[in-house]
Amino acid sequence: MVEGSTAVTAAQGVLRDLVARYYADGAACGVNASSHWQEFSKHFQVRLRTDGSLESLKGYGFGTSSHTGLLARTFAMLGNAAHLRLLDAPGLGAGLDASRELVQRMGLRFSQDAFRQHCTAWLLERHPALARPPRTILVIGDGHGILAGLLYQRYPQAQIWLVDLGPTLLFQAAHLGRAYPAEAHVLAGSGAGSRGAAFVYCAADQLGSLPEGDVDLAINVASMQEMTVAAIAGYFDLLRQRHTALFYCCNRLEKRLPGGEVLRILEYPWRTDDVHLVDELCPWSQWFVGIGRAKNVRWAGLPLPLVHRYDGRIWHRLTRMASPAESFAPCVGAL
């Protein structure tokens, strides 16, 4: 970040508040976190200076965009090129350079995970349901913050609300503050007003501090599959209470967490009067190029070297949400 400007100071203030709130005594996701994040948050690496400010950070469990090794770069290049060719999606490659440049400004690498986020932004941008640009976008569980950055790149008039576990929210604030130093960044519940802010960060244990207003577009990619059942229900209640117009949800058809919980996207609390505008296997989230224990993709009966399927099939939905439920009981500390 460039020292000196008021906006940068505001972004740095968000980081300092998050560090003080969630890292002063070590990272802890809290008792309401799923067994997945209880386990994965142990591997977060956050280094602080003596004055308490952030020196460096390294995440775990939400993508490979921070991996910079030669193999990681090679696999990303091969995977992205293969996806771009096989998806046969006109216009998908048109904004690729801009997306890559943004991810690099965030201090990250344009990995296969980042490419999939580019695909998500491309799908939403071109869908007729979003012919009118959204003014309020709620992104739940954005890991490094790449999808929020890509959406703001496309919708600079929008206010982006980011909700995540407090320790994980630090990563989003750090990367987005680096990419958008001239914009205003605000932490919900800190006493700072959100009016005019581009990015509003809200920890899952502070959901009552979200700004007032309805949500034009809500998004969750590959994180509801790692929550508790109660947390998912709480978020669906929140989305309906906020009169969410559209909800994009991309998660595993089935995933078993370390604690034994089994989560299925088709069993989330959808309603019969929800209207699914997109409802299918996610085309860009079925296989990856790399080294792993997952099953190889087979072609003509033969396994393709280095091309693997994910542990489970991934489904995505773009849904017009039905009217709010009669009762609303938010799940505090939800992720």
Side-chain angles (χ1 to χ4, degrees), residues 239-305:
L239 296 181
R240 297 191 196 283
Q241 181 69 13
R242 291 304 187 101
H243 301 275
T244 301
L246 292 167
F247 177 35
Y248 177 79
C249 184
C250 180
N251 285 276
R252 295 252 189 106
L253 279 171
E254 178 176 302
K255 182 169 182 175
R256 183 177 297 274
L257 303 190
E261 311 97 310
V262 178
L263 300 170
R264 300 179 178 91
I265 184 174
L266 300 183
E267 294 178 3
Y268 294 173
W270 307 101
R271 287 172 41 171
T272 55
D273 46 352
D274 289 333
V275 178
H276 304 304
L277 307 174
V278 174
D279 196 20
E280 62 185 5
L281 288 170
C282 182
W284 46 82
S285 295
Q286 301 306 314
W287 54 267
F288 65 95
V289 176
I291 299 174
R293 292 177 294 177
K295 293 181 180 179
N296 287 86
V297 173
R298 305 182 76 87
W299 183 73
L302 299 175
L304 295 177

Side-chain angles (χ1 to χ4, degrees), residues 55-273:
E55 180 179 342
S56 64
L57 73 168
K58 184 177 181 180
Y60 187 88
F62 42 81
T64 59
S65 293
S66 60
H67 297 180
T68 58
L70 178 60
L71 276 179
R73 296 198 307 271
T74 301
F75 291 148
M77 179 183 68
L78 292 173
N80 294 347
H83 270 107
L84 195 60
R85 181 175 182 85
L86 295 174
L87 286 172
D88 190 27
L92 180 60
L96 206 57
D97 287 343
S99 294
R100 184 180 292 108
E101 188 271 335
L102 170 66
V103 172
Q104 290 171 348
R105 286 204 334 260
M106 296 175 75
L108 299 167
R109 183 179 54 80
F110 197 73
S111 66
Q112 293 176 77
D113 293 309
F115 175 82
R116 285 189 287 274
Q117 301 288 44
H118 165 83
C119 292
T120 298
W122 168 83
L123 170 69
L124 295 172
E125 183 181 30
R126 68 186 287 273
H127 198 280
L130 281 159
R132 176 180 296 180
R135 302 290 299 183
T136 304
I137 302 174
L138 171 62
V139 187
I140 303 168
D142 195 21
H144 288 298
I146 291 174
L147 183 55
L150 293 173
L151 291 169
Y152 191 74
Q153 186 181 58
R154 288 159 172 76
Y155 303 113
Q157 79 291 340
Q159 184 175 77
I160 312 288
W161 299 349
L162 296 104
V163 175
D164 213 320
L165 291 168
T168 309
L169 201 61
L170 179 72
F171 293 81
Q172 294 155 38
H175 294 138
L176 289 167
R178 182 171 181 172
Y180 293 105
E183 305 299 339
H185 301 252
V186 170
L187 179 63
S190 65
S194 61
R195 185 178 179 85
F199 299 97
V200 179
Y201 305 89
C202 183
D205 58 5
Q206 299 283 323
L207 285 178
S209 299
L210 272 176
E212 296 294 328
D214 296 343
V215 175
D216 295 326
L217 172 65
I219 302 171
N220 179 266
V221 175
S223 77
M224 280 189 170
Q225 65 190 28
E226 296 159 355
M227 298 182 188
T228 64
V229 172
I232 296 171
Y235 277 114
F236 269 74
D237 281 346
L238 174 65
L239 296 181
R240 297 191 196 283
Q241 181 69 13
R242 291 304 187 101
H243 301 275
T244 301
L246 292 167
F247 177 35
Y248 177 79
C249 184
C250 180
N251 285 276
R252 295 252 189 106
L253 279 171
E254 178 176 302
K255 182 169 182 175
R256 183 177 297 274
L257 303 190
E261 311 97 310
V262 178
L263 300 170
R264 300 179 178 91
I265 184 174
L266 300 183
E267 294 178 3
Y268 294 173
W270 307 101
R271 287 172 41 171
T272 55
D273 46 352

Side-chain angles (χ1 to χ4, degrees), residues 47-61:
R47 188 171 301 170
L48 307 178
R49 299 185 180 91
T50 55
D51 64 356
S53 61
L54 184 66
E55 180 179 342
S56 64
L57 73 168
K58 184 177 181 180
Y60 187 88

Side-chain angles (χ1 to χ4, degrees), residues 298-314:
R298 305 182 76 87
W299 183 73
L302 299 175
L304 295 177
L306 302 178
V307 184
H308 304 276
R309 295 194 183 280
Y310 289 98
D311 291 337
R313 292 181 298 168
I314 299 175

